[in-house]
Amino acid sequence: MEVIRIEGGHPITGEVTVEGAKNSALKLMAATILAPGVSTLTNVPNIADVHVMGKVLKELGAKIEVVDEHTLVIDTSAVDRWETPYHLVAQMRASTAVLGPLIGRFGKATVAMPGGCNIGARKIDMHLLGLQSLGVQFDMSHGDICATTPAGLTGTNVTLDFASVGATENLMMAAVRAKGVTTIDNAAREPEIVDLANMLNEMGAKVHGAGSPVIEVEGVDALYPVEHRVVGDRIEAGTFIAMAGICGGPVTVKGFDPIHLGLVLKKYELMGLDIERGDMQCTVSRTSPLRPVDIQTLPFPGFPTDMQAQTMCALALAQGSCIVTENVFENRFMFASELSRMGADIVIEGHHAIVHGVERFSGAQVKAPDLRGGAALVMAGLVADGQTTVSDIYHIDRGYEHFVEKLLALGAHVERADIPDLD
């Protein structure tokens, strides 16, 4: 069993460059299905989830050449299957992103129900309801979602109950091949949505309004392969910014647009962090004690659920009490019980966490409950007394490339180690 060991109390300073966004790269890889031929994606993070999506595409008949660590050449001209196997989809909920492209290209798809982090119910009802409006018929059997389009795809108006990123993406990728115009109301507004829309437009699609609550998609007859650079990962950037804040810094985080972390940076400044914004980077330091600030997670441009654990970790050392409200994933507080093993004082009441600041963390053996919670436990270890050992680090590998190496370069005393699996 691999673990990450951290010796707390060492300063974190220097520069770190983030990779391309996990949540964008996976959907861009899926979108290549829509354009038969050879597409090139650059700035792709070399992480476990990308490897899984690559296997999904290969199962469908695609050929993938890894040019270098961050460049994929994807040839989808020979894609002739539209079924994704459960053993891959079960590893990662983003595998459902192939649903829209397969329907757009073949008019049919069979996709296993999704898996991924255990942070809440995987509600894909909105994906299915939206696609049904375009003329897709679904049959659910043996854990698979079977989609057909007996009368083809026809543009229509779709209103989402919730600004779901996955539903917005699947609808966009199916609607680009529908007859007529599709309007998606209450669409997700995340930067990753804009990145996908930009790539679709480069492929010949006509997508307007991405980044706003209303997206309009005018269907086209064909799409063509392109070369596209993945947008920088705002969540990886936010993780290192939070680490700089809890440790004091200064740390310069490069490779992302600070505008994509607008509310996070504002909240962090209220918590006492000094943040200097620049072009595709920001520098973070802190010289005064951390202050408590209430946060609540919401779809973009609200506070991202993917930054909740890292922020709660910092707030657990603030001078005072605050409330963290989780509105997106109901199980996202599993991280809090692990942080409590390190001395945090957190009380969970429904989807609220009441955080009472403590003076220090104590090193302990903890388990990563999910991707972001795992990163936050490593972050806690950086300032804890003694040694912290984080297990189940496969969660962290799903979304962070060279995580330990980047921390070492910033001065952390951290290592990956193999220990006997005692379970």
Side-chain angles (χ1 to χ4, degrees), residues 264-409:
V264 173
L265 299 185
K266 286 179 184 173
K267 288 286 187 179
Y268 282 8
E269 285 172 330
L270 291 173
M271 287 164 61
L273 277 59
D274 298 311
I275 301 174
E276 182 183 326
R277 295 161 179 78
D279 181 26
M280 295 301 290
Q281 67 177 51
C282 67
T283 300
V284 184
S285 59
R286 179 179 60 83
T287 54
S288 58
L290 285 162
R291 297 190 292 267
V293 173
D294 292 343
I295 65 165
Q296 60 170 327
T297 64
L298 288 168
F300 191 86
F303 197 96
T305 182
D306 278 355
M307 283 303 303
Q308 182 251 96
Q310 304 90 310
T311 307
M312 186 188 294
C313 179
L315 291 170
L317 292 175
Q319 292 189 337
S321 301
C322 60
I323 297 175
V324 176
T325 303
E326 175 56 60
N327 294 309
V328 181
F329 285 124
E330 65 267 28
N331 290 347
R332 256 270 155 82
F333 285 149
M334 290 190 300
F335 153 79
S337 61
E338 292 298 306
L339 192 63
S340 295
R341 288 175 50 78
M342 300 179 68
D345 183 356
I346 301 170
V347 179
I348 306 298
E349 292 187 2
H351 67 126
H352 304 288
I354 300 153
V355 184
H356 303 290
V358 297
E359 280 193 25
R360 63 179 63 87
F361 293 145
S362 300
Q365 293 188 7
V366 291
K367 279 188 177 183
D370 54 65
L371 168 56
R372 308 305 173 184
L377 289 170
V378 174
M379 171 178 159
L382 294 173
V383 292
D385 294 338
Q387 188 180 87
T388 298
T389 302
V390 182
S391 58
D392 286 0
I393 62 171
Y394 63 88
H395 286 300
I396 298 172
D397 292 337
R398 286 188 49 232
Y400 293 94
E401 176 183 331
H402 299 320
F403 191 53
V404 167
E405 291 85 347
K406 288 180 179 181
L407 288 172
L408 284 168

Side-chain angles (χ1 to χ4, degrees), residues 129-152:
L129 287 170
L131 291 167
Q132 280 175 338
S133 301
L134 297 176
V136 182
Q137 292 184 7
F138 290 102
D139 177 40
M140 315 289 282
S141 63
H142 306 292
D144 288 334
I145 306 162
C146 302
T148 54
T149 54

Side-chain angles (χ1 to χ4, degrees), residues 60-90:
L60 298 172
K63 295 175 183 173
I64 301 179
E65 179 187 355
V66 182
V67 177
D68 59 43
E69 196 175 23
H70 299 121
T71 303
L72 297 180
V73 176
I74 305 173
D75 184 351
T76 58
S77 49
V79 169
D80 59 356
R81 294 188 288 279
W82 45 87
E83 298 182 1
T84 60
Y86 171 74
H87 75 274
L88 292 176
V89 178

Side-chain angles (χ1 to χ4, degrees), residues 82-114:
W82 45 87
E83 298 182 1
T84 60
Y86 171 74
H87 75 274
L88 292 176
V89 178
Q91 297 176 40
M92 180 184 68
R93 70 181 186 275
S95 304
T96 54
V98 299
L99 185 61
L102 287 173
I103 291 169
R105 178 160 169 179
F106 297 108
K108 53 189 170 184
T110 300
V111 177
M113 290 290 281

Side-chain angles (χ1 to χ4, degrees), residues 195-240:
D195 198 23
L196 175 59
N198 288 342
M199 178 165 146
L200 291 172
N201 287 337
E202 290 159 15
M203 294 163 78
K206 297 178 180 176
V207 181
H208 309 285
S212 78
V214 180
I215 296 176
E216 189 176 274
V217 184
E218 185 181 338
V220 296
D221 292 331
L223 294 171
Y224 306 96
V226 294
E227 178 172 330
H228 183 85
R229 179 179 174 83
V230 180
V231 69
D233 195 326
R234 63 195 171 100
I235 304 301
E236 184 188 3
T239 302
F240 283 110

